[in-house]
Amino acid sequence: MRTLLVALAILGSAAAFAARADEPRTYDERALPRTEEGLSALDAKQLSIVRRATNQCDATETIIVRTSVRQRPCIISRVDHAIETSGDPALQAYHAALPFNARYDRYRSSYYYQQILIRVRK
């Protein structure tokens, strides 16, 4: 019974953290580069951080079945911390401009940075 209560508490805190990370983020669009090369470089930099965080979490967590990122607060917290401490306003704005489903996805396509490029060129 005690183990069940501990497991429920952990799941509840993970769900609360994932819900907080899903909130819309504000960002300064002026910090984003207006060129395809600039946004592509930011995309590569952000993806590198996501892949590193995912690999670190895979190595330290004891999850047998892979779950979605929404259920993996380890990845979300590591990526957010790395972005916040980067000191790069363009990277922070790019990270915030990405939709949640793509923000922490190490397999996302270039579609997302292309959509942001269309937005900033208007």
Side-chain angles (χ1 to χ4, degrees):
M1 181 68 167
R2 184 180 206 180
T3 306
L4 178 63
L5 290 174
V6 170
L8 288 174
I10 291 171
L11 287 174
S13 65
F17 182 82
R20 184 186 68 78
D22 199 14
E23 294 173 358
R25 295 172 179 243
T26 59
Y27 63 94
D28 183 10
E29 194 171 287
R30 295 171 299 175
L32 294 172
R34 304 278 185 235
T35 64
E36 185 173 354
E37 296 81 18
L39 277 176
S40 179
L42 280 177
D43 186 61
K45 193 173 184 180
Q46 199 269 353
L47 269 174
S48 174
I49 292 170
V50 170
R51 289 180 178 140
R52 184 176 341 111
T54 303
N55 289 337
Q56 290 171 346
C57 291
D58 286 349
T60 59
E61 291 178 343
T62 55
I63 297 176
I64 297 171
V65 177
R66 296 288 174 225
T67 58
S68 71
V69 172
R70 182 177 295 249
Q71 297 169 344
R72 298 200 53 203
C74 175
I75 295 170
I76 296 168
S77 64
R78 285 180 189 242
V79 171
D80 285 349
H81 178 73
I83 297 293
E84 288 170 12
T85 59
S86 70
D88 185 350
L91 180 63
Q92 293 167 350
Y94 181 77
H95 180 70
L98 289 168
F100 182 81
N101 63 324
R103 192 178 301 148
Y104 307 100
D105 182 4
R106 67 177 170 178
Y107 300 117
R108 75 169 177 261
S109 70
S110 60
Y111 168 81
Y112 296 100
Y113 93 82
Q114 292 168 351
Q115 292 301 309
I116 293 171
L117 179 63
I118 291 168
R119 252 187 295 167
V120 297
R121 282 191 173 174
K122 288 183 179 179

